[in-house]
Amino acid sequence: MAMNDIKVLTIGGSRNIGYFSSRRLLDLGAIVTFLLRKPNVFDNDEAIQEYVRGGKARLVQGDALVKEDVKRAWATAQGDDGKPIDFLVFTVGGTPHFKLTQGFVISPPNLVTQSILNCLETLPTPYPNIITISSAGLTHAGHQVLPLLLKPLYSYCLPVPHADKCGTEEVLAYCAGWEWHAEDSPGPEVLARDWKTNAGLPTPGTLKNVVVIRPALLTDGACRADTQEPASGSPYTAKEGDLAGAWTVSRKDVAHFLVERVIKEWDEWKGKRITIAY
């Protein structure tokens, strides 16, 4: 897929995978709209400011938990040229804090799930392609194939943010027509019992152009894919479904996969839930 002037709405793009992915897209010529609670996060980011001055980056102040703010972000990303939005890159994730009895917690506990619901209930037509970041080891089946030493970490430290990610995946599975096991549902604290009746939510099986990326334990390491010789192959493994023995992967390599593989090779990856790890 040619990148020049494709339209992208990034939600969760102020840092980490969302930021690295958006920078790659901007460098390739895309028009990227950011929904940001604090647009001043980019005040000292000269690279982003250059794209803002050039009209390639658009900054919308708002919160993905507020449906009207999401509507404004869609409208800004759409613009007035009549061309549809090509991609939603959804990488929302809260800043966790640690509690001894609960592990890492986020507030609200359904931050990611409610944000994706707001996005889906306000989708423009035609529907854009959707890419969202989840996590390896969320489901019962995924947890079973984690490396043994990671299982206690995931079970004790990450159940709250992972429940939120499960809610997001359940919503997307419903709209895309994918299988979802009831044992993996996060419960009413994350996903209300009547969520399927929400106005505007796409009907089951109608949201075909979706990709869920499930990274292994994330690190702040360099992007190996940018420096490794092509003849050596890819530094990471990406596989549909669960990936046994998935230890770690850097946020920058996930961003590389999202842009250089998933978006550029959309027909190969669309409609899949993909685990990525070194």
Side-chain angles (χ1 to χ4, degrees), residues 91 135 272:
T91 62
S135 176
K272 296 179 180 179

Side-chain angles (χ1 to χ4, degrees), residues 122-168:
T122 57
L123 279 174
T125 52
Y127 291 162
N129 304 317
I130 297 173
I131 304 171
T132 185
I133 300 296
S134 185
S135 176
L138 290 185
T139 65
H140 283 71
H143 189 82
Q144 288 178 354
V145 299
L146 284 172
L148 185 61
L149 293 179
L150 285 185
K151 289 183 178 182
L153 172 67
Y154 278 50
S155 296
Y156 173 67
C157 292
L158 300 174
V160 174
H162 278 186
D164 194 13
K165 295 283 190 181
C166 272
T168 302

Side-chain angles (χ1 to χ4, degrees), residues 178 208 210-213 240 267-274:
W178 296 337
K208 297 298 185 184
V210 180
V211 167
V212 174
I213 300 175
E240 183 176 9
D267 287 341
E268 176 181 346
W269 298 102
K270 67 181 180 182
K272 296 179 180 179
R273 291 170 284 193
I274 305 152

Side-chain angles (χ1 to χ4, degrees), residues 39-61:
N40 62 4
V41 70
F42 291 149
D43 281 358
N44 296 317
D45 189 322
E46 184 53 34
I48 295 294
Q49 290 301 322
E50 183 175 349
Y51 286 119
V52 170
R53 291 189 293 269
K56 288 288 192 175
R58 302 167 179 174
L59 311 184
V60 178
Q61 184 170 11

Side-chain angles (χ1 to χ4, degrees), residues 8-30:
V8 180
L9 174 59
T10 293
I11 299 184
S14 64
R15 59 194 177 101
N16 295 334
I17 295 170
Y19 176 79
F20 300 135
S21 300
S22 298
R23 277 291 310 275
R24 281 186 176 274
L25 288 164
L26 287 164
D27 291 345
L28 290 167

Side-chain angles (χ1 to χ4, degrees), residues 37-96:
R37 284 182 295 172
K38 297 178 180 179
N40 62 4
V41 70
F42 291 149
D43 281 358
N44 296 317
D45 189 322
E46 184 53 34
I48 295 294
Q49 290 301 322
E50 183 175 349
Y51 286 119
V52 170
R53 291 189 293 269
K56 288 288 192 175
R58 302 167 179 174
L59 311 184
V60 178
Q61 184 170 11
D63 190 331
L65 288 172
V66 180
K67 190 176 291 187
E68 290 302 316
D69 290 352
V70 177
K71 287 181 180 179
R72 287 192 297 106
W74 283 123
T76 301
Q78 176 76 63
D80 55 9
D81 62 2
K83 296 179 181 178
I85 299 167
D86 296 283
F87 284 93
L88 167 66
V89 175
F90 181 89
T91 62
V92 172
T95 301

